[in-house]
Amino acid sequence: MLNRVRSAVAHLVSSGGAPPPRPKSPDLPNAPLAQTAAPPEAPRSPPARAGSAAPAKTVEARASFSRPTFLQLSPGGLRRADDHAGRAVQSPPDTGRRLPWSTGYAEVINAGKSRHNEDQACCEVVYVEGQRSVSGAPREPSQGQGLCFYYWGLFDGHAGGGAAEMASRFLHRHIREQLKDLVEILQDPSPPPLCLPSTPGAPGSSDSSHLVGPQSCWSSQKEVTHESLVVGAIENAFQFMDEQMARERRGHQVEGGCCALVVVYLLGKVYVANAGDSRAIIVRNGEIIPMSREFTPETERQRLQLLGFLKPELLGGEFTHLEFPRRIQPKELGQRMLYRDQNMTGWAYKKIELEDLRFPLVCGEGKKARVMATIGVTRGLGDHNLKVCSSTLPIKPFLSCFPEVRVYDLRQYEHCPDDVLVLGTDGLWDVTSDWEVAATVDRVLSAYEPNDASRYTALAQALVLGARGIPRDRGWRLPNNKLGSGDDISVFVIPLGGPGSYS
Amino acid sequence: MLNRVRSAVAHLVSSGGAPPPRPKSPDLPNAPLAQTAAPPEAPRSPPARAGSAAPAKTVEARASFSRPTFLQLSPGGLRRADDHAGRAVQSPPDTGRRLPWSTGYAEVINAGKSRHNEDQACCEVVYVEGQRSVSGAPREPSQGQGLCFYYWGLFDGHAGGGAAEMASRFLHRHIREQLKDLVEILQDPSPPPLCLPSTPGAPGSSDSSHLVGPQSCWSSQKEVTHESLVVGAIENAFQFMDEQMARERRGHQVEGGCCALVVVYLLGKVYVANAGDSRAIIVRNGEIIPMSREFTPETERQRLQLLGFLKPELLGGEFTHLEFPRRIQPKELGQRMLYRDQNMTGWAYKKIELEDLRFPLVCGEGKKARVMATIGVTRGLGDHNLKVCSSTLPIKPFLSCFPEVRVYDLRQYEHCPDDVLVLGTDGLWDVTSDWEVAATVDRVLSAYEPNDASRYTALAQALVLGARGIPRDRGWRLPNNKLGSGDDISVFVIPLGGPGSYS
């Protein structure tokens, strides 16, 4: 994300919106990392200093970078992918093995805001072997078969690429771990058991005969669906991923943080989990179906303010949980200023008191909105070292690693090859509306035969190119001469009824 | 609300869903209270004991009751309105002065769950006199004119009628107080000043020349709309109303609490503020536009759990903030049970530990959902004395007095006389869907001339009758033989383009 984490120091010398000059860094070897080889305990991030509070330092500290293995980049290709001047669009080669479902993918590096592309991507088919028999009975050959899920992930890093890199290698494994317990349950059409024995062999209790207590609010048990178990598994996998980053940062210095947008296809349903400001939409028969929402200081203002209100120690005496429409000056003490508290959506006037002169927890608008004047996104993984500039105050307590999960049942609709799920980092969406994406979907796919599996990559490339623009008038510009995105841009196009899809 | 506050003691003797037998109470004088006479400092509620934890006690403690003054009930009429056996539908008399906009209103008492009708209603035209000149300049005759707003309120009491009665008499006055500062600002088409002088005469600062600090998140000031000032005024009025109840309960024992659903029409826009489980919908050309949502332990589960998680002292060692699909038995310790934490929407298994045996903060489903096994609604006014049964643990910290405010611009659409805003307490909505209401709107209004001002009262009566049913087979039954609502039922029908409306 472009300037998602801001150094207040940088602003003291440059109050404009332009990105700070890119620091020089030594010509480091580009060592691509395989997506699947490393064991969970030993991430391959180099033991560089994290220093996530200051982007400049972070960039200098990075010693290597990688791109998704499915791009199959040679060392020369990796250098071209890392070239800020050319900003060549990268896609998997035509010649190699296609991505599952003939998924299309394209990416481009930023225009210079950080040394390397801090987006990462992952696309995998993951097999989950059941680890327990719920009933405890000996497993029949036909019983307890494992499960497969399809997996796509986009990770948009900030203040370093370590967190995004780590998430791209491990998050699907955490999801697999969370699903292991559920393999048999998810394949059994009867409702999930509410309680499982502590050891296989002891009976599970799924009936209501164990109800206790006379309270009528307990007179019936809640119905829990299979779908909600998958949602819970994904939610907890995000948390375990974040905890792994917290643990391993001590030894391996996981740099910065990342937004995570993840799609899981399992047993006929698509689960879209989003923590951050990436976005997913389905374009179906020309119609747009939003599959995520963005989590920013603006959209999560009330959650952040509530936390600051309930736990004022997290504000360290430096910030106020109240929101004001602009900074208050000391000479305005005693006057009455518009404000919003945590439980308000409207504005009202209040008399300015001494503690209102503190910096607001949430300030700014749009892409300039910030938590504690530092970070512009409120959900994601990592950021365990992130501190308010010139302070030891941690920002992590205000960030949430939990995604919002939306579910789309693929079986409820007969999809055609032009129906797609588009995932993009904010580099795409900052300059492209949902409707412009839908128009590009229509334009590009209609130029290809429905059974041409390369059409989705062509579409991903067109979307990335359309957001990047072309170099003109000292900038990357769109056809309307507005500035294109100077951010890293990454796009997955997942066909929902295409030739290579699940069907 | 029917059984919204449950006494856990009652459940120890009756675990079924049937309402507890109505306690006997002495035949008390029915003293109607005027809506507008009492000054804010001296509510007319009798100094009876509050005892909001136990409905039985509460009912016995009440010494008087009132119905809305606009019903113009005689002492005899008041007795008939208070008759649980007949459940006669009450409306303003045809002969008297009509309600503003020819608003329709109807209500009926419950089937015996409490001694009196605990719903209250208010309909007023309120004049707001400006109390300050923003500019400080001498007021021109044409300048600083006051403002009028139209006001409708439904208040659904629980654990006593005192809070609903008090809210029906004072909430619109609090709104008026909050709007006093805004009279001149709201009538000035330029953007509201961000800062006001502490005393009239000092200049207000509405420009951006006072910006300080180099932080780019402050490089522009937020735009604040007139609409958001009205929203903020209504939000703060709810809070002041709640604080008044907290103050005055000590001297006057304000009984129980109430849901509040309020409509304000001001300068072309309709503001619908809801705190509780009443509901407002617009029926426009047969289409339904939801204007509120309900706040219950189910819809607010995550807010409640977050509070219990961040402030465990509020749970008093008696409750756990985790949700389980049924009560856990001690013998299940060590087994694995489905649970949801505050940041989850899905379910997952966890090993049962000792503290999971505590009662869950949120339990039950639908109308049986409860916070701390006690209250089935999570927003509203009052409830300052509400405690968990057999405990000193207060429930109020989990309840919010803040409404959600939705805005509808009346000028964006040319309304016809059949377009209406329908407000109802949960007695209506428990047995009537939005679509059934829309069908009744169509059926009743088409039977009247468009300019017949009595049609909206006829519609309100039809809605109340349709939810109450008729006495048959030892119960109040609907035409389909299902049980009608045994709760208090109150309905406003506000015409959006009717003969008596603002136009």
Side-chain angles (χ1 to χ4, degrees), chain A residues 345-346, chain B residues 225-232 234-235 262-273 282 289-292 404-412 421:
Chain A
T345 58
Chain B
T225 62
H226 290 86
E227 179 180 303
S228 70
L229 293 186
V230 179
V231 172
I234 295 171
E235 288 171 331
V262 153
V263 173
V264 170
Y265 171 78
L266 177 65
L267 296 169
K269 290 181 178 174
V270 173
Y271 299 80
V272 181
I282 285 173
I289 304 171
M291 289 303 296
S292 68
E404 183 189 73
V405 185
R406 298 194 185 182
V407 187
Y408 180 82
D409 191 338
L410 266 190
R411 301 159 302 187
Q412 296 298 305
L421 170 58

Side-chain angles (χ1 to χ4, degrees), chain B residues 152 154 261 263 279-280 421-425 428-429 490-492 494:
Chain B
W152 299 259
L154 282 186
L261 171 61
V263 173
R279 187 186 300 171
L421 170 58
V422 177
L423 316 183
T425 52
L428 172 69
W429 303 107
S490 307
V491 171
F492 269 127
I494 305 171

